[in-house]
Amino acid sequence: MLKRLAHVTLYVRDCEEALQFYTEKLGFEKRMDTRMDDGSRWLTVGLPGQELEIVLHDPTHWHREEIAREMLAAVGKNPMWVWETDDFWQTYETMRQRGVKFVSEPVEVVYGMEAIFEDL
């Protein structure tokens, strides 16, 4: 039986840029960073205290060229993710000061506070 979701893959154009964004701007920690013999890279990040890891996946080394192009075309078109925080306003202000671009002002909605930001 399935017991937990361990990894979610996020297509990225540049692993270093994505690693910097997720660690320095959003506060994630780097979990794994392994280079394979074929030049591909297994790079994951996660929130401190949470088991789930996000795979920052540059498909150019993993897949045939036409498949990699399709995956790269999907960058920035991923499903919406909803994050939880202990202090919305403090988190919002910290992320804003770190250079995260918000596409909407904070607003209260039925499920809580919402502020939508741009991913890479």
Side-chain angles (χ1 to χ4, degrees), residues 41-93:
R41 185 175 181 185
W42 182 257
L43 175 62
T44 69
V45 295
L47 288 170
Q50 186 178 45
E51 289 184 36
L52 178 70
E53 294 183 34
I54 298 171
V55 180
L56 301 176
H57 181 66
D58 175 351
T60 57
H61 292 288
W62 289 81
H63 306 281
R64 292 188 326 267
E65 187 177 341
E66 63 273 9
I67 300 296
R69 270 197 312 268
E70 289 177 23
M71 292 174 156
L72 287 171
V75 170
K77 299 176 179 129
N78 294 296
M80 178 178 64
W81 296 14
V82 179
W83 303 101
E84 188 176 294
T85 180
D86 290 330
D87 184 331
F88 172 87
W89 290 106
Q90 180 182 2
T91 302
Y92 170 77
E93 187 58 33

Side-chain angles (χ1 to χ4, degrees), residues 88-89 92 96 102 104-109 113-116:
F88 172 87
W89 290 106
Y92 170 77
R96 200 177 63 70
F102 285 86
S104 69
E105 292 296 319
V107 61
E108 189 168 356
V109 291
M113 292 299 296
E114 175 182 275
I116 300 170

Side-chain angles (χ1 to χ4, degrees), residues 1-27:
M1 292 298 291
L2 298 175
K3 65 181 205 178
R4 70 181 177 93
L5 179 61
H7 295 84
V8 173
T9 299
L10 182 65
Y11 302 144
V12 300
R13 289 185 187 94
D14 181 311
C15 285
E16 287 304 318
E17 179 186 37
L19 178 62
Q20 180 183 10
F21 179 77
Y22 277 86
T23 58
E24 295 177 16
K25 294 189 178 187
L26 301 185

